[in-house]
Each structure stands twice: as structure tokens, then as C-alpha cells.
């Protein structure tokens, strides 16, 4: 907080120097000269009106006394004005210190909020990274399952093809067996007929 006080005080002094100090001496000198001239004119008027009542030295002492009293009053007024300005400056400084403190508190609050947001972002990034890894694992598993399914389909097609080939071979063997049986049956019928005819020939020759 000390550095903030120093910065605010330096800004206020710089502002006063820029806005008031270049003209402060001129205005003060002019004001003093006008006051002294006014006092001397008033005293001179009084001296002229009362010139017959006393000596010159007494009037000069009165002139100096009145001038001193007036300067003392002005000095007192100047001290009062400076005290007022000092109080105003102190109030202004306190106002700036209050604003600085408030801004500092707001900055701390914003910093805490920023840290909370950073932590939330880190958590979200970590969650996204974990989800990305899980998604990549799921893609790999899906790829493996697709390859397994493709292999199963190929195995099924190969098994079906071999089964069909075996059935075709079995049907061919069955057809061949049936054809063989049919030939044997035809041959057997032919032999029976031949034997029957052969057995009937002696009877015909005996008659």
C-alpha cells in the first residue's frame, strides 16, 4: 500500500505544480502589493486628515503599527487558508487511498476469479484429454471388432463353401451309387430274363 500512497501523492503534487505553482508566486506578490498600497493609501488619508493633531513620528509609528496588524491578520488568514487547503488535500488523499484500496481489492478478486477460471480450464483440459484417450481406445476396440467380424464372416463363407462342396461331392457319390445300383438292377433283370429264356428252350425242343 505504501507504493500506492507514494504514487498518488506524486500525482497530486505534479498536478499542483502543473496547474498552480507557475502562477502562485505572481498572484501572491500582486495581492501583497495591492494590500500594502491599500493600507498606505488609507493611512495616508488618515494622516492627511489628522496632520494638525500630532507629530510626524507618531503618525509614522501608527502607520507601521497598522500595517503590521494588517499583515498579521493576513498572515493568520493565510495560515487558516493553508490549513483548510491541507485538510482538503488530506481528504483528497484519503479519497484516492480509498479508491486505490477498492481497486486493489477488485484486482485481488479478479485475480482469484482468474485463478479459479484457470483451474477450471485445467480440469476441462484434463477431462478432454481423458475423453480423447478413451475415444481413441474405443476406436481401436471398434477397429479390432470390425476386423474380428470380417474374419468371422470370411470363416463363415469359407465354411459354407466347404459344406456346399462336401454336399455336392456327397450328392455326386450318391448319384454315382444310384447309377451303379440301377445298372446292376438292369443287368440283373437282363440276366434273369436271359436265364428264363435259357431255361425255357429245353422244353420247347422236347415237344
Amino acid at each position: 500500500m505504501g507504493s500506492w500512497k507514494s504514487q498518488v501523492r506524486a500525482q497530486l503534487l505534479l498536478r499542483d505544480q502543473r496547474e498552480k505553482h507557475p502562477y502562485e508566486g505572481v498572484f501572491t506578490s500582486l495581492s501583497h502589493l495591492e494590500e500594502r498600497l491599500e493600507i498606505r493609501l488609507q493611512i495616508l488619508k488618515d494622516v492627511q486628515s489628522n496632520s494638525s493633531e500630532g507629530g510626524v513620528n507618531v503618525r509614522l509609528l501608527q502607520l507601521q503599527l497598522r500595517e503590521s496588524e494588517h499583515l498579521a491578520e493576513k498572515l493568520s488568514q493565510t495560515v487558516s487558508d493553508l490549513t483548510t487547503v491541507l485538510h482538503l488535500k488530506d481528504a483528497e488523499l484519503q479519497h484516492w487511498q480509498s479508491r486505490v484500496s477498492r481497486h486493489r481489492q477488485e484486482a485481488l478478486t479478479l485475480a482469484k476469479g482468474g485463478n479459479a477460471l484457470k483451474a477450471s480450464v485445467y480440469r476441462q483440459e484434463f477431462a478432454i484429454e481423458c475423453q480423447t484417450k478413451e475415444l481413441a481406445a474405443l476406436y481401436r476396440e471398434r477397429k479390432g471388432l470390425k476386423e474380428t467380424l470380417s474374419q468371422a464372416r470370411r470363416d463363415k463363407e469359407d465354411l459354407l463353401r466347404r459344406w456346399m462342396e462336401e454336399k455336392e461331392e456327397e450328392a455326386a457319390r450318391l448319384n454315382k451309387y444310384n447309377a451303379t445300383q440301377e445298372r446292376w438292377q438292369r443287368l440283373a433283370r437282363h440276366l434273369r430274363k436271359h436265364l428264363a429264356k435259357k431255361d425255357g428252350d429245353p422244353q420247347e425242343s422236347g415237344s
Side-chain angles (χ1 to χ4, degrees), residues 30-206:
L30 180 61
S31 177
H32 288 171
L33 290 175
E34 290 177 348
E35 291 171 0
R36 291 173 68 88
L37 178 60
E38 183 180 355
I39 292 171
R40 289 183 179 276
L41 289 176
Q42 183 63 35
I43 293 174
L44 181 60
K45 185 183 295 184
D46 294 339
V47 169
Q48 289 177 352
S49 62
N50 299 321
S51 59
S52 58
E53 297 179 0
V56 177
N57 291 332
V58 174
R59 288 195 293 271
L60 288 176
L61 289 175
Q62 291 176 349
L63 174 63
Q64 292 177 358
L65 178 61
R66 293 183 61 182
E67 185 177 0
S68 299
E69 291 176 350
H70 184 74
L71 290 176
E73 291 178 359
K74 296 302 296 182
L75 181 60
S76 177
Q77 183 64 37
T78 302
V79 171
S80 178
D81 293 341
L82 288 176
T83 303
T84 302
V85 172
L86 182 61
H87 288 319
L88 291 175
K89 292 294 184 181
D90 186 63
E92 187 177 1
L93 181 59
Q94 290 180 359
H95 169 71
W96 282 107
Q97 288 176 348
S98 175
R99 291 189 60 181
V100 168
S101 178
R102 185 172 67 253
H103 289 317
R104 183 173 180 272
Q105 187 63 36
E106 291 177 356
L108 291 175
T109 303
L110 291 175
K112 291 180 180 178
N115 292 332
L117 288 176
K118 286 182 180 179
S120 177
V121 169
Y122 290 151
R123 289 195 297 269
Q124 294 294 331
E125 289 178 349
F126 179 74
I128 291 173
E129 184 178 358
C130 292
Q131 291 178 359
T132 301
K133 291 180 179 179
E134 292 177 359
L135 184 61
L138 289 174
Y139 275 129
R140 289 193 297 270
E141 184 178 358
R142 179 171 174 266
K143 182 179 179 181
L145 291 174
K146 288 180 67 177
E147 292 177 353
T148 303
L149 180 61
S150 299
Q151 184 63 39
R153 287 176 178 174
R154 289 193 296 269
D155 294 341
K156 177 184 176 182
E157 292 174 356
D158 185 61
L159 181 62
L160 181 61
R161 179 182 56 77
R162 285 186 293 168
W163 183 79
M164 292 295 294
E165 290 177 353
E166 290 177 357
K167 291 299 180 181
E168 290 176 357
E169 292 177 357
E170 184 178 353
R173 287 194 300 269
L174 182 60
N175 290 334
K176 185 177 180 180
Y177 174 77
N178 290 334
T180 302
Q181 291 294 323
E182 186 177 354
R183 284 196 302 271
W184 279 109
Q185 289 176 2
R186 285 199 304 269
L187 182 59
R189 288 194 299 271
H190 181 69
L191 288 175
R192 283 195 297 271
K193 289 180 181 180
H194 180 70
L195 290 174
K197 288 180 180 181
K198 187 175 180 180
D199 290 340
D201 288 341
Q203 294 179 358
E204 290 178 357
S205 59

